[in-house]
PDB file of all heavy atoms in Angstrom:
ATOM      1  N   LEU A   1     -18.411 -10.231   0.072  1.00  0.00           N
ATOM      2  CA  LEU A   1     -17.712  -9.889   1.307  1.00  0.00           C
ATOM      3  C   LEU A   1     -16.260 -10.354   1.171  1.00  0.00           C
ATOM      4  O   LEU A   1     -16.008 -11.511   0.835  1.00  0.00           O
ATOM      5  CB  LEU A   1     -18.400 -10.588   2.483  1.00  0.00           C
ATOM      6  CG  LEU A   1     -18.080 -10.111   3.878  1.00  0.00           C
ATOM      7  CD1 LEU A   1     -18.425  -8.638   4.052  1.00  0.00           C
ATOM      8  CD2 LEU A   1     -18.856 -10.948   4.898  1.00  0.00           C
ATOM      9  N   ARG A   2     -15.299  -9.431   1.427  1.00  0.00           N
ATOM     10  CA  ARG A   2     -13.900  -9.741   1.149  1.00  0.00           C
ATOM     11  C   ARG A   2     -12.987  -9.340   2.308  1.00  0.00           C
ATOM     12  O   ARG A   2     -13.264  -8.393   3.027  1.00  0.00           O
ATOM     13  CB  ARG A   2     -13.452  -9.008  -0.115  1.00  0.00           C
ATOM     14  CG  ARG A   2     -14.385  -9.270  -1.300  1.00  0.00           C
ATOM     15  CD  ARG A   2     -13.834  -8.793  -2.608  1.00  0.00           C
ATOM     16  NE  ARG A   2     -12.849  -9.723  -3.135  1.00  0.00           N
ATOM     17  CZ  ARG A   2     -13.149 -10.851  -3.769  1.00  0.00           C
ATOM     18  NH1 ARG A   2     -14.381 -11.205  -3.964  1.00  0.00           N
ATOM     19  NH2 ARG A   2     -12.198 -11.631  -4.217  1.00  0.00           N
ATOM     20  N   THR A   3     -11.899 -10.081   2.441  1.00  0.00           N
ATOM     21  CA  THR A   3     -10.789  -9.691   3.298  1.00  0.00           C
ATOM     22  C   THR A   3      -9.745  -9.087   2.370  1.00  0.00           C
ATOM     23  O   THR A   3      -9.376  -9.699   1.361  1.00  0.00           O
ATOM     24  CB  THR A   3     -10.208 -10.908   4.043  1.00  0.00           C
ATOM     25  OG1 THR A   3     -11.227 -11.422   4.915  1.00  0.00           O
ATOM     26  CG2 THR A   3      -8.990 -10.517   4.859  1.00  0.00           C
ATOM     27  N   VAL A   4      -9.278  -7.873   2.701  1.00  0.00           N
ATOM     28  CA  VAL A   4      -8.334  -7.163   1.847  1.00  0.00           C
ATOM     29  C   VAL A   4      -6.970  -7.120   2.520  1.00  0.00           C
ATOM     30  O   VAL A   4      -6.845  -6.682   3.664  1.00  0.00           O
ATOM     31  CB  VAL A   4      -8.818  -5.719   1.564  1.00  0.00           C
ATOM     32  CG1 VAL A   4      -7.890  -5.037   0.555  1.00  0.00           C
ATOM     33  CG2 VAL A   4     -10.256  -5.713   1.056  1.00  0.00           C
ATOM     34  N   ILE A   5      -5.967  -7.578   1.784  1.00  0.00           N
ATOM     35  CA  ILE A   5      -4.586  -7.495   2.266  1.00  0.00           C
ATOM     36  C   ILE A   5      -3.943  -6.313   1.548  1.00  0.00           C
ATOM     37  O   ILE A   5      -3.820  -6.327   0.316  1.00  0.00           O
ATOM     38  CB  ILE A   5      -3.799  -8.786   1.983  1.00  0.00           C
ATOM     39  CG1 ILE A   5      -4.544 -10.010   2.519  1.00  0.00           C
ATOM     40  CG2 ILE A   5      -2.395  -8.688   2.590  1.00  0.00           C
ATOM     41  CD1 ILE A   5      -3.967 -11.341   2.053  1.00  0.00           C
ATOM     42  N   PHE A   6      -3.587  -5.290   2.315  1.00  0.00           N
ATOM     43  CA  PHE A   6      -2.931  -4.101   1.763  1.00  0.00           C
ATOM     44  C   PHE A   6      -1.421  -4.273   1.917  1.00  0.00           C
ATOM     45  O   PHE A   6      -0.899  -4.219   3.029  1.00  0.00           O
ATOM     46  CB  PHE A   6      -3.390  -2.837   2.488  1.00  0.00           C
ATOM     47  CG  PHE A   6      -4.825  -2.466   2.207  1.00  0.00           C
ATOM     48  CD1 PHE A   6      -5.833  -2.845   3.076  1.00  0.00           C
ATOM     49  CD2 PHE A   6      -5.161  -1.741   1.078  1.00  0.00           C
ATOM     50  CE1 PHE A   6      -7.153  -2.509   2.823  1.00  0.00           C
ATOM     51  CE2 PHE A   6      -6.477  -1.395   0.809  1.00  0.00           C
ATOM     52  CZ  PHE A   6      -7.480  -1.781   1.679  1.00  0.00           C
ATOM     53  N   PHE A   7      -0.745  -4.498   0.798  1.00  0.00           N
ATOM     54  CA  PHE A   7       0.703  -4.670   0.805  1.00  0.00           C
ATOM     55  C   PHE A   7       1.395  -3.318   0.705  1.00  0.00           C
ATOM     56  O   PHE A   7       0.876  -2.386   0.089  1.00  0.00           O
ATOM     57  CB  PHE A   7       1.136  -5.569  -0.363  1.00  0.00           C
ATOM     58  CG  PHE A   7       0.672  -6.989  -0.190  1.00  0.00           C
ATOM     59  CD1 PHE A   7      -0.510  -7.417  -0.766  1.00  0.00           C
ATOM     60  CD2 PHE A   7       1.401  -7.877   0.576  1.00  0.00           C
ATOM     61  CE1 PHE A   7      -0.958  -8.716  -0.591  1.00  0.00           C
ATOM     62  CE2 PHE A   7       0.965  -9.178   0.754  1.00  0.00           C
ATOM     63  CZ  PHE A   7      -0.218  -9.601   0.175  1.00  0.00           C
ATOM     64  N   ALA A   8       2.573  -3.220   1.305  1.00  0.00           N
ATOM     65  CA  ALA A   8       3.350  -1.982   1.258  1.00  0.00           C
ATOM     66  C   ALA A   8       4.307  -2.021   0.070  1.00  0.00           C
ATOM     67  O   ALA A   8       4.854  -3.073  -0.259  1.00  0.00           O
ATOM     68  CB  ALA A   8       4.131  -1.804   2.556  1.00  0.00           C
ATOM     69  N   GLY A   9       4.478  -0.866  -0.547  1.00  0.00           N
ATOM     70  CA  GLY A   9       5.386  -0.729  -1.676  1.00  0.00           C
ATOM     71  C   GLY A   9       4.623  -0.525  -2.970  1.00  0.00           C
ATOM     72  O   GLY A   9       3.783  -1.341  -3.331  1.00  0.00           O
ATOM     73  N   CYS A  10       4.905   0.596  -3.636  1.00  0.00           N
ATOM     74  CA  CYS A  10       4.252   0.890  -4.909  1.00  0.00           C
ATOM     75  C   CYS A  10       5.109   1.877  -5.692  1.00  0.00           C
ATOM     76  O   CYS A  10       5.410   2.958  -5.195  1.00  0.00           O
ATOM     77  CB  CYS A  10       2.858   1.465  -4.691  1.00  0.00           C
ATOM     78  SG  CYS A  10       1.992   1.776  -6.243  1.00  0.00           S
ATOM     79  N   PRO A  11       5.464   1.518  -6.921  1.00  0.00           N
ATOM     80  CA  PRO A  11       6.295   2.404  -7.731  1.00  0.00           C
ATOM     81  C   PRO A  11       5.496   3.424  -8.549  1.00  0.00           C
ATOM     82  O   PRO A  11       6.075   4.296  -9.180  1.00  0.00           O
ATOM     83  CB  PRO A  11       7.008   1.429  -8.671  1.00  0.00           C
ATOM     84  CG  PRO A  11       5.989   0.356  -8.884  1.00  0.00           C
ATOM     85  CD  PRO A  11       5.274   0.222  -7.568  1.00  0.00           C
ATOM     86  N   HIS A  12       4.179   3.341  -8.535  1.00  0.00           N
ATOM     87  CA  HIS A  12       3.368   4.149  -9.451  1.00  0.00           C
ATOM     88  C   HIS A  12       3.163   5.594  -8.995  1.00  0.00           C
ATOM     89  O   HIS A  12       3.093   6.495  -9.826  1.00  0.00           O
ATOM     90  CB  HIS A  12       2.012   3.473  -9.694  1.00  0.00           C
ATOM     91  CG  HIS A  12       2.140   2.057 -10.129  1.00  0.00           C
ATOM     92  ND1 HIS A  12       2.682   1.684 -11.341  1.00  0.00           N
ATOM     93  CD2 HIS A  12       1.828   0.900  -9.500  1.00  0.00           C
ATOM     94  CE1 HIS A  12       2.675   0.370 -11.444  1.00  0.00           C
ATOM     95  NE2 HIS A  12       2.170  -0.127 -10.330  1.00  0.00           N
ATOM     96  N   HIS A  13       3.015   5.799  -7.689  1.00  0.00           N
ATOM     97  CA  HIS A  13       2.859   7.136  -7.101  1.00  0.00           C
ATOM     98  C   HIS A  13       1.810   7.964  -7.835  1.00  0.00           C
ATOM     99  O   HIS A  13       2.057   9.102  -8.248  1.00  0.00           O
ATOM    100  CB  HIS A  13       4.196   7.885  -7.068  1.00  0.00           C
ATOM    101  CG  HIS A  13       5.251   7.170  -6.286  1.00  0.00           C
ATOM    102  ND1 HIS A  13       6.508   7.680  -6.103  1.00  0.00           N
ATOM    103  CD2 HIS A  13       5.246   5.984  -5.630  1.00  0.00           C
ATOM    104  CE1 HIS A  13       7.237   6.831  -5.385  1.00  0.00           C
ATOM    105  NE2 HIS A  13       6.477   5.805  -5.088  1.00  0.00           N
ATOM    106  N   CYS A  14       0.623   7.416  -7.975  1.00  0.00           N
ATOM    107  CA  CYS A  14      -0.460   8.090  -8.697  1.00  0.00           C
ATOM    108  C   CYS A  14      -0.897   9.357  -7.969  1.00  0.00           C
ATOM    109  O   CYS A  14      -1.137   9.335  -6.750  1.00  0.00           O
ATOM    110  CB  CYS A  14      -1.660   7.159  -8.838  1.00  0.00           C
ATOM    111  SG  CYS A  14      -1.303   5.609  -9.693  1.00  0.00           S
ATOM    112  N   LYS A  15      -1.022  10.439  -8.707  1.00  0.00           N
ATOM    113  CA  LYS A  15      -1.520  11.694  -8.145  1.00  0.00           C
ATOM    114  C   LYS A  15      -2.959  11.461  -7.678  1.00  0.00           C
ATOM    115  O   LYS A  15      -3.779  10.924  -8.415  1.00  0.00           O
ATOM    116  CB  LYS A  15      -1.480  12.792  -9.216  1.00  0.00           C
ATOM    117  CG  LYS A  15      -1.915  14.135  -8.708  1.00  0.00           C
ATOM    118  CD  LYS A  15      -1.811  15.205  -9.776  1.00  0.00           C
ATOM    119  CE  LYS A  15      -2.246  16.549  -9.201  1.00  0.00           C
ATOM    120  NZ  LYS A  15      -2.207  17.587 -10.234  1.00  0.00           N
ATOM    121  N   GLY A  16      -3.238  11.835  -6.428  1.00  0.00           N
ATOM    122  CA  GLY A  16      -4.571  11.629  -5.866  1.00  0.00           C
ATOM    123  C   GLY A  16      -4.767  10.260  -5.236  1.00  0.00           C
ATOM    124  O   GLY A  16      -5.881   9.927  -4.838  1.00  0.00           O
ATOM    125  N   CYS A  17      -3.710   9.484  -5.120  1.00  0.00           N
ATOM    126  CA  CYS A  17      -3.793   8.150  -4.512  1.00  0.00           C
ATOM    127  C   CYS A  17      -4.476   8.236  -3.143  1.00  0.00           C
ATOM    128  O   CYS A  17      -4.164   9.120  -2.341  1.00  0.00           O
ATOM    129  CB  CYS A  17      -2.381   7.582  -4.358  1.00  0.00           C
ATOM    130  SG  CYS A  17      -2.307   6.000  -3.476  1.00  0.00           S
ATOM    131  N   HIS A  18      -5.394   7.306  -2.876  1.00  0.00           N
ATOM    132  CA  HIS A  18      -6.089   7.308  -1.581  1.00  0.00           C
ATOM    133  C   HIS A  18      -5.248   6.665  -0.481  1.00  0.00           C
ATOM    134  O   HIS A  18      -5.638   6.668   0.675  1.00  0.00           O
ATOM    135  CB  HIS A  18      -7.453   6.612  -1.707  1.00  0.00           C
ATOM    136  CG  HIS A  18      -7.384   5.118  -1.752  1.00  0.00           C
ATOM    137  ND1 HIS A  18      -6.852   4.429  -2.819  1.00  0.00           N
ATOM    138  CD2 HIS A  18      -7.750   4.186  -0.846  1.00  0.00           C
ATOM    139  CE1 HIS A  18      -6.920   3.143  -2.568  1.00  0.00           C
ATOM    140  NE2 HIS A  18      -7.456   2.960  -1.382  1.00  0.00           N
ATOM    141  N   ASN A  19      -4.083   6.126  -0.836  1.00  0.00           N
ATOM    142  CA  ASN A  19      -3.278   5.404   0.136  1.00  0.00           C
ATOM    143  C   ASN A  19      -1.780   5.681  -0.076  1.00  0.00           C
ATOM    144  O   ASN A  19      -0.998   4.747  -0.237  1.00  0.00           O
ATOM    145  CB  ASN A  19      -3.586   3.900  -0.026  1.00  0.00           C
ATOM    146  CG  ASN A  19      -3.289   3.101   1.211  1.00  0.00           C
ATOM    147  OD1 ASN A  19      -2.902   3.638   2.236  1.00  0.00           O
ATOM    148  ND2 ASN A  19      -3.456   1.802   1.107  1.00  0.00           N
ATOM    149  N   PRO A  20      -1.350   6.968  -0.097  1.00  0.00           N
ATOM    150  CA  PRO A  20       0.054   7.269  -0.405  1.00  0.00           C
ATOM    151  C   PRO A  20       1.060   6.710   0.596  1.00  0.00           C
ATOM    152  O   PRO A  20       2.224   6.493   0.239  1.00  0.00           O
ATOM    153  CB  PRO A  20       0.105   8.799  -0.452  1.00  0.00           C
ATOM    154  CG  PRO A  20      -1.105   9.260   0.273  1.00  0.00           C
ATOM    155  CD  PRO A  20      -2.134   8.181   0.128  1.00  0.00           C
ATOM    156  N   GLU A  21       0.633   6.416   1.816  1.00  0.00           N
ATOM    157  CA  GLU A  21       1.560   5.815   2.779  1.00  0.00           C
ATOM    158  C   GLU A  21       1.966   4.409   2.325  1.00  0.00           C
ATOM    159  O   GLU A  21       2.965   3.863   2.787  1.00  0.00           O
ATOM    160  CB  GLU A  21       0.974   5.785   4.196  1.00  0.00           C
ATOM    161  CG  GLU A  21      -0.252   4.928   4.383  1.00  0.00           C
ATOM    162  CD  GLU A  21      -1.586   5.580   4.017  1.00  0.00           C
ATOM    163  OE1 GLU A  21      -1.603   6.689   3.452  1.00  0.00           O
ATOM    164  OE2 GLU A  21      -2.626   4.966   4.296  1.00  0.00           O
ATOM    165  N   SER A  22       1.214   3.847   1.399  1.00  0.00           N
ATOM    166  CA  SER A  22       1.515   2.504   0.900  1.00  0.00           C
ATOM    167  C   SER A  22       2.674   2.493  -0.096  1.00  0.00           C
ATOM    168  O   SER A  22       3.182   1.435  -0.442  1.00  0.00           O
ATOM    169  CB  SER A  22       0.278   1.900   0.227  1.00  0.00           C
ATOM    170  OG  SER A  22       0.011   2.562  -1.000  1.00  0.00           O
ATOM    171  N   TRP A  23       3.102   3.645  -0.570  1.00  0.00           N
ATOM    172  CA  TRP A  23       4.170   3.695  -1.563  1.00  0.00           C
ATOM    173  C   TRP A  23       5.478   3.146  -1.027  1.00  0.00           C
ATOM    174  O   TRP A  23       6.235   2.528  -1.753  1.00  0.00           O
ATOM    175  CB  TRP A  23       4.380   5.123  -2.055  1.00  0.00           C
ATOM    176  CG  TRP A  23       3.206   5.731  -2.756  1.00  0.00           C
ATOM    177  CD1 TRP A  23       2.051   5.106  -3.141  1.00  0.00           C
ATOM    178  CD2 TRP A  23       3.066   7.091  -3.162  1.00  0.00           C
ATOM    179  NE1 TRP A  23       1.215   5.992  -3.759  1.00  0.00           N
ATOM    180  CE2 TRP A  23       1.800   7.219  -3.786  1.00  0.00           C
ATOM    181  CE3 TRP A  23       3.880   8.211  -3.048  1.00  0.00           C
ATOM    182  CZ2 TRP A  23       1.352   8.424  -4.302  1.00  0.00           C
ATOM    183  CZ3 TRP A  23       3.420   9.416  -3.565  1.00  0.00           C
ATOM    184  CH2 TRP A  23       2.167   9.519  -4.191  1.00  0.00           C
ATOM    185  N   ASN A  24       5.760   3.417   0.245  1.00  0.00           N
ATOM    186  CA  ASN A  24       7.036   3.030   0.846  1.00  0.00           C
ATOM    187  C   ASN A  24       6.905   1.651   1.500  1.00  0.00           C
ATOM    188  O   ASN A  24       6.133   1.472   2.447  1.00  0.00           O
ATOM    189  CB  ASN A  24       7.461   4.076   1.878  1.00  0.00           C
ATOM    190  CG  ASN A  24       8.827   3.815   2.452  1.00  0.00           C
ATOM    191  OD1 ASN A  24       9.381   2.722   2.329  1.00  0.00           O
ATOM    192  ND2 ASN A  24       9.388   4.825   3.095  1.00  0.00           N
ATOM    193  N   LYS A  25       7.678   0.696   1.007  1.00  0.00           N
ATOM    194  CA  LYS A  25       7.631  -0.661   1.550  1.00  0.00           C
ATOM    195  C   LYS A  25       7.980  -0.689   3.036  1.00  0.00           C
ATOM    196  O   LYS A  25       7.500  -1.535   3.785  1.00  0.00           O
ATOM    197  CB  LYS A  25       8.592  -1.554   0.750  1.00  0.00           C
ATOM    198  CG  LYS A  25       8.463  -3.014   1.044  1.00  0.00           C
ATOM    199  CD  LYS A  25       9.356  -3.836   0.136  1.00  0.00           C
ATOM    200  CE  LYS A  25       9.314  -5.293   0.528  1.00  0.00           C
ATOM    201  NZ  LYS A  25      10.217  -6.101  -0.294  1.00  0.00           N
ATOM    202  N   GLU A  26       8.800   0.278   3.480  1.00  0.00           N
ATOM    203  CA  GLU A  26       9.226   0.345   4.882  1.00  0.00           C
ATOM    204  C   GLU A  26       8.065   0.715   5.819  1.00  0.00           C
ATOM    205  O   GLU A  26       8.181   0.533   7.033  1.00  0.00           O
ATOM    206  CB  GLU A  26      10.359   1.356   5.057  1.00  0.00           C
ATOM    207  CG  GLU A  26      11.579   1.082   4.183  1.00  0.00           C
ATOM    208  CD  GLU A  26      12.148  -0.317   4.368  1.00  0.00           C
ATOM    209  OE1 GLU A  26      12.333  -0.744   5.522  1.00  0.00           O
ATOM    210  OE2 GLU A  26      12.408  -0.981   3.344  1.00  0.00           O
ATOM    211  N   ASN A  27       6.974   1.224   5.284  1.00  0.00           N
ATOM    212  CA  ASN A  27       5.821   1.588   6.121  1.00  0.00           C
ATOM    213  C   ASN A  27       5.010   0.370   6.550  1.00  0.00           C
ATOM    214  O   ASN A  27       4.131   0.484   7.390  1.00  0.00           O
ATOM    215  CB  ASN A  27       4.924   2.587   5.394  1.00  0.00           C
ATOM    216  CG  ASN A  27       5.540   3.960   5.317  1.00  0.00           C
ATOM    217  OD1 ASN A  27       6.466   4.280   6.050  1.00  0.00           O
ATOM    218  ND2 ASN A  27       5.047   4.781   4.409  1.00  0.00           N
ATOM    219  N   GLY A  28       5.286  -0.769   5.953  1.00  0.00           N
ATOM    220  CA  GLY A  28       4.543  -1.978   6.293  1.00  0.00           C
ATOM    221  C   GLY A  28       5.160  -2.723   7.454  1.00  0.00           C
ATOM    222  O   GLY A  28       6.273  -2.441   7.900  1.00  0.00           O
ATOM    223  N   LYS A  29       4.414  -3.691   7.936  1.00  0.00           N
ATOM    224  CA  LYS A  29       4.883  -4.597   8.991  1.00  0.00           C
ATOM    225  C   LYS A  29       5.338  -5.878   8.302  1.00  0.00           C
ATOM    226  O   LYS A  29       4.617  -6.431   7.466  1.00  0.00           O
ATOM    227  CB  LYS A  29       3.720  -4.892   9.948  1.00  0.00           C
ATOM    228  CG  LYS A  29       4.034  -5.919  11.011  1.00  0.00           C
ATOM    229  CD  LYS A  29       2.791  -6.212  11.854  1.00  0.00           C
ATOM    230  CE  LYS A  29       3.068  -7.355  12.808  1.00  0.00           C
ATOM    231  NZ  LYS A  29       1.847  -7.802  13.480  1.00  0.00           N
ATOM    232  N   ILE A  30       6.526  -6.338   8.637  1.00  0.00           N
ATOM    233  CA  ILE A  30       7.027  -7.587   8.063  1.00  0.00           C
ATOM    234  C   ILE A  30       6.298  -8.748   8.733  1.00  0.00           C
ATOM    235  O   ILE A  30       6.308  -8.890   9.961  1.00  0.00           O
ATOM    236  CB  ILE A  30       8.553  -7.726   8.260  1.00  0.00           C
ATOM    237  CG1 ILE A  30       9.277  -6.551   7.598  1.00  0.00           C
ATOM    238  CG2 ILE A  30       9.050  -9.061   7.715  1.00  0.00           C
ATOM    239  CD1 ILE A  30       9.069  -6.431   6.106  1.00  0.00           C
ATOM    240  N   MET A  31       5.635  -9.550   7.888  1.00  0.00           N
ATOM    241  CA  MET A  31       4.893 -10.712   8.386  1.00  0.00           C
ATOM    242  C   MET A  31       5.293 -11.934   7.573  1.00  0.00           C
ATOM    243  O   MET A  31       5.607 -11.817   6.387  1.00  0.00           O
ATOM    244  CB  MET A  31       3.379 -10.477   8.229  1.00  0.00           C
ATOM    245  CG  MET A  31       2.820  -9.331   9.046  1.00  0.00           C
ATOM    246  SD  MET A  31       1.040  -9.058   8.721  1.00  0.00           S
ATOM    247  CE  MET A  31       0.308 -10.510   9.474  1.00  0.00           C
TER     248      MET A  31
END
């Protein structure tokens, strides 16, 4: 059982990515 922290920002831009909104660091909440 895990808690997952999804960070924003990704340079890889994999085709078929299940989380493309994660590519842009600006889409995250600053914490």
Side-chain angles (χ1 to χ4, degrees):
L1 195 59
R2 307 191 79 79
T3 296
V4 186
I5 307 169
F6 291 96
F7 292 95
C10 182
H12 307 293
H13 301 182
C14 302
K15 183 178 181 182
C17 175
H18 77 291
N19 203 3
E21 64 276 8
S22 71
W23 298 351
N24 185 344
K25 190 175 175 183
E26 303 305 312
N27 287 343
K29 175 184 173 189
I30 301 299
M31 296 176 70

